[in-house]
Amino acid sequence: MSNQIIKFAMYAVLLIVGLAATHQLTKEQLLEDNRVRTQRHAQQLAQYIDSEFSRYSRIVEFLSDSAMVRQTISLGNATDDVDRYLNDVQQASGASDVYLLDRNGTVIATSNWLLEHSYKGNNFAFRPYFKRAIQGQSVIDFALGQRSKQRGFYFSQGVAIDGEIQGVIVLKANASKFETDKARLDTSDSSQFVLFDTNKVVLLSNNPQWQLHSVSTLPEQQQRQLQSSQQFLFRDIAAIDWQVHDSQTMVRANKQLYVMSQAPITDTDYRLWMLSPISPFADTHAARLAVAFVVLLLLILLVEYLSVKLAGYRQLLFSQSSLEAQVQERTIELEQAQDALIRAAKLATIGQLSASVNHEINQPLSAMSAYAAATKRLIARGETDKALENIALIEQLIRRVHAIAAQLKSFSQKHDNKMCEASLVQCIDNALIVVGPELNRHQVSIEKTLIDVNVWVDPYQFEQVLVNLFSNACQAMEQQSNKQLRVEAMTQDAKVYLSIIDSGLGIEHHALNSIFEPFYTTKSEHGLGLGLSISKQIIESFHGNLSAHNHPDGGAEFLISLHQQEPES
Ligand code: ADP
């Protein structure tokens, strides 16, 4: 239960952290996008103002050199044609006024000559645009119109006659023209701009509340200077109510945060600031958070699904490995049990054989003692040649007893499987050494039809099988008067077929399928019923086969098939 709570808490933390990270990243990316866009808008507007300023400057330059203007200055007064000409220029250029001042700063010709506020006769000698132009400068100046009370840019240039400046031509462009033109540019509607001079006074802005305000608070002395220059007539220049942050890249005004970008205006000291509002939560933002939410949810579901799968897989692995361990344990137990059974079967066979073995060992021993006594007498008589012959016979008998003892030992011992190509004849002879005494006791005649061939077996185990089969045959013939054991071998297709045929009563028909079953026996005494089942297992471990049937001539036939060499698996 507590694990579930921890998991749920982890998922909740993952969701919250993921959404917070998405929010932060989106915020930063949108801010960066906004900065780039604002910078582009600032440059677009600055370029537009640049191009308009240079267009007006060129018009003024052209007028200052025109024959009509120069002639008017030379004459000192203007005809209506001059006024009309200036009016045409004003109309065509989009300027608000174009006028000509004589060397004293008095207007002698003007485009607004027919209007009520005609400048004709007015004196503007106090205006910087006159003062500087009469001294030969090409001027761009800003001022609040004395009569019109309109903000405007003044473009002025001296009119030279014989190399001496004797008048000034002036073109005035209304500031509002630039502000409305901004809307026509490809700049955002919501963005706002300010264009300010070296005194930090805003000359242009599409926000009327910022016009003729300063971007930062002006010192008292500067205020007085501005008043005396009458550039803004007698207006007080108040500072705009905003805070500029982050080294002039962010502005907060009226609780609204703006991204700010700057751009200079060529050939002037004016600077342009473009401000774009930062929307706290844009639509893009909401959409991204929704996508992040869905993705995180899918991720959580995937993790949950995988963890369930993994737990199942782990469980499977665990049960598989514990199953394997159990199987291994059981296999070892079975192997041990089988070993014990084999030994028990062997001991049972030895028990059955012991009487015969006794007899077989006693016989040579008695013979040996007889030969030993005779040898003593022969030595006493000095017949050493005969004595030596007796001793050779004694040695032969000793070898026979050794052989029987060795076979019995190896038969009863437990040993590891050692496969090899062994001589078939040798294996049969070895088995007969063990079982021979019993066969002799029962006067069984043995008929061998063998071939000298190798078989792929573990010789010790193979001999055990043979001992078993010979012993069974002997027992089956116990009640028969004719006791005959035939051992026949033949080869076919790299295989050896060995038949052991007895002259007993044969296997009862109903028992043919059961005799290889463990513990199947018809012998009430001494019978364990393991001999054939173990023999079959041993032969199968050689990749061979052991089968039984009744021979057509009577008696049982046990057929063993074996490989001559190690078979290719
Ligand atoms: P056991 O000899 O202890 O009974 P085996 O597994 O060697 O165990 O033999 C099982 C049974 O097969 C015997 O009890 C016997 O009935 C039958 N059997 C084995 N060999 C022969 C044979 N040569 N002739 C007839 N029956 C046999």
Side-chain angles (χ1 to χ4, degrees):
M1 185 62 190
S2 63
N3 272 355
Q4 289 288 72
I5 293 172
I6 291 173
K7 199 159 70 173
F8 182 75
M10 273 169 58
Y11 288 154
V13 168
L14 178 73
L15 204 64
I16 291 166
V17 169
L19 288 178
T22 311
H23 169 72
Q24 189 58 30
L25 285 175
T26 309
K27 201 170 109 178
E28 279 168 20
Q29 200 206 330
L30 289 178
L31 189 65
E32 187 52 33
D33 289 352
N34 199 347
R35 270 187 217 290
V36 172
R37 204 172 44 245
T38 310
Q39 181 63 43
R40 197 179 66 239
H41 290 167
Q43 278 163 358
Q44 274 176 351
L45 186 60
Q47 270 168 18
Y48 169 74
I49 294 172
D50 273 353
S51 71
E52 283 296 274
F53 277 14
S54 70
R55 185 167 70 87
Y56 287 134
S57 297
R58 276 203 303 278
I59 292 170
V60 167
E61 198 182 321
F62 167 77
L63 285 176
S64 71
D65 205 29
S66 84
M68 188 180 270
V69 168
R70 292 177 66 216
Q71 195 184 13
T72 308
I73 289 294
S74 301
L75 290 173
N77 62 38
T79 60
D80 289 354
D81 287 345
V82 181
D83 291 325
R84 250 184 236 112
Y85 175 60
L86 295 183
N87 185 258
D88 286 347
V89 173
Q90 176 259 319
Q91 297 275 330
S93 65
S96 61
D97 302 293
V98 181
Y99 47 101
L100 185 64
L101 295 92
D102 65 11
R103 66 167 62 192
N104 302 316
T106 304
V107 178
I108 53 173
T110 174
S111 61
N112 58 17
W113 58 295
L114 286 177
L115 299 179
E116 201 183 327
H117 66 272
S118 166
Y119 293 165
K120 202 164 254 191
N122 281 18
N123 188 284
F124 294 122
F126 68 96
R127 288 293 199 189
Y129 63 75
F130 174 78
K131 286 186 190 164
R132 286 163 55 201
I134 202 77
Q135 282 166 12
Q137 290 178 29
S138 186
V139 179
I140 300 174
D141 193 27
F142 176 91
L144 195 58
Q146 202 174 29
R147 298 201 54 183
S148 63
K149 303 287 184 286
Q150 303 250 324
R151 289 165 303 128
F153 287 99
Y154 295 81
F155 302 84
S156 60
Q157 174 111 22
V159 180
I161 309 289
D162 300 331
E164 193 191 329
I165 294 173
Q166 298 196 5
V168 170
I169 180 82
V170 182
L171 181 147
K172 180 186 173 188
N174 260 345
S176 56
K177 168 193 149 48
F178 296 93
E179 289 156 357
T180 42
D181 283 353
K182 185 254 176 198
R184 277 190 243 136
L185 291 174
D186 179 26
T187 57
S188 150
D189 283 345
S190 52
S191 67
Q192 307 205 25
F193 78 96
V194 288
L195 179 95
F196 55 90
D197 60 9
T198 46
N199 290 317
K200 303 269 173 63
V201 179
V202 174
L203 312 178
L204 290 180
S205 173
N206 56 340
N207 180 344
Q209 289 175 346
W210 293 347
Q211 292 165 5
L212 297 181
H213 282 64
S214 57
V215 295
S216 58
T217 313
L218 300 184
E220 189 73 20
Q221 193 191 354
Q222 200 176 346
Q223 287 270 18
R224 276 203 302 277
Q225 269 175 9
L226 284 175
Q227 294 222 348
S228 68
S229 76
Q230 294 184 40
Q231 186 181 7
F232 308 108
L233 302 179
F234 297 103
R235 266 180 89 100
D236 267 342
I237 304 297
I240 301 173
D241 182 19
W242 66 18
Q243 293 102 45
V244 180
H245 303 288
D246 289 352
S247 47
Q248 302 193 329
T249 57
M250 302 278 254
V251 168
R252 180 179 290 282
N254 294 331
K255 296 183 183 157
Q256 170 67 59
L257 204 59
Y258 296 86
V259 169
M260 189 177 84
S261 265
Q262 306 193 26
I265 305 291
T266 320
D267 295 336
T268 67
D269 295 328
Y270 302 150
R271 288 202 74 75
L272 179 95
W273 283 4
M274 181 67 77
L275 291 86
S276 293
I278 298 168
S279 46
F281 200 80
D283 289 350
T284 336
H285 216 118
R288 283 197 194 176
L289 280 179
V291 170
F293 182 76
V294 172
V295 169
L296 285 167
L297 217 58
L298 286 176
L299 193 74
I300 289 169
L301 286 176
L302 186 73
V303 168
E304 183 64 25
Y305 173 76
L306 286 179
S307 67
V308 168
K309 275 258 157 199
L310 199 71
Y313 184 62
R314 267 206 209 128
Q315 182 68 37
L316 199 73
L317 275 187
F318 176 73
S319 33
Q320 201 174 332
S321 68
S322 70
L323 206 67
E324 271 171 18
Q326 274 178 16
V327 167
Q328 255 177 7
E329 216 173 279
R330 290 280 177 282
T331 310
I332 292 168
E333 278 172 19
L334 276 175
E335 278 170 5
Q336 285 170 350
Q338 196 174 359
D339 275 0
L341 278 175
I342 289 173
R343 280 175 67 76
K346 280 190 217 169
L347 292 174
T349 309
I350 288 170
Q352 287 163 16
L353 296 178
S354 61
S356 319
V357 171
N358 251 350
H359 171 74
E360 190 67 5
I361 291 173
N362 280 338
Q363 236 183 5
L365 285 178
S366 318
M368 272 190 273
S369 52
Y371 280 129
T375 308
K376 264 192 213 166
R377 282 196 302 275
L378 287 170
I379 291 169
R381 287 207 298 264
E383 293 176 45
T384 42
D385 285 353
K386 284 190 179 172
L388 282 174
E389 272 175 31
N390 274 5
I391 289 172
L393 282 171
I394 292 171
E395 280 174 342
Q396 205 181 329
L397 287 167
I398 290 173
R399 275 200 296 277
R400 180 166 172 73
V401 173
H402 266 307
I404 293 170
Q407 280 303 312
L408 273 178
K409 192 178 166 206
S410 73
F411 182 74
S412 59
Q413 263 176 356
K414 185 182 168 192
H415 80 282
D416 296 332
N417 208 1
K418 283 184 191 136
M419 298 297 289
C420 66
E421 286 172 24
S423 157
L424 177 67
V425 175
Q426 189 63 56
C427 290
I428 291 171
D429 284 348
N430 285 343
L432 284 174
I433 291 174
V434 177
V435 85
E438 194 187 10
L439 294 174
N440 288 338
R441 193 161 63 91
H442 290 96
Q443 294 167 338
V444 175
S445 68
I446 304 169
E447 194 184 312
K448 290 193 273 182
T449 317
L450 296 177
I451 37 171
D452 188 14
V453 71
N454 280 349
V455 282
W456 175 254
V457 293
D458 171 354
Y460 290 105
Q461 289 192 331
F462 183 45
E463 284 160 23
Q464 285 167 28
V465 172
L466 293 173
V467 165
N468 242 317
L469 296 177
F470 293 156
S471 175
N472 275 351
C474 185
Q475 286 167 14
M477 294 184 290
E478 237 167 24
Q479 308 300 323
Q480 302 303 107
S481 52
N482 171 32
K483 297 175 187 168
Q484 207 178 16
L485 179 66
R486 278 152 56 202
V487 186
E488 298 171 0
M490 60 170 284
T491 56
Q492 196 184 344
D493 300 337
K495 281 192 161 186
V496 176
Y497 295 89
L498 180 71
S499 289
I500 296 158
I501 307 155
D502 61 50
S503 58
L505 289 173
I507 306 158
E508 285 177 49
H509 191 70
H510 66 88
L512 273 171
N513 290 328
S514 322
I515 54 170
F516 292 106
E517 298 289 327
F519 304 109
Y520 176 82
T521 181
T522 53
K523 297 165 196 165
S524 49
E525 260 184 274
H526 308 301
L528 273 182
L530 287 171
L532 286 182
S533 88
I534 291 168
S535 297
K536 192 171 171 63
Q537 275 183 39
I538 291 174
I539 297 295
E540 282 172 357
S541 77
F542 304 157
H543 300 285
N545 193 36
L546 170 62
S547 61
H549 56 265
N550 288 320
H551 196 269
D553 300 342
E557 176 177 6
F558 284 82
L559 183 67
I560 300 174
S561 68
L562 292 167
H563 290 274
Q564 283 182 273
Q565 292 165 345
E566 184 176 8
E568 286 168 19
S569 50

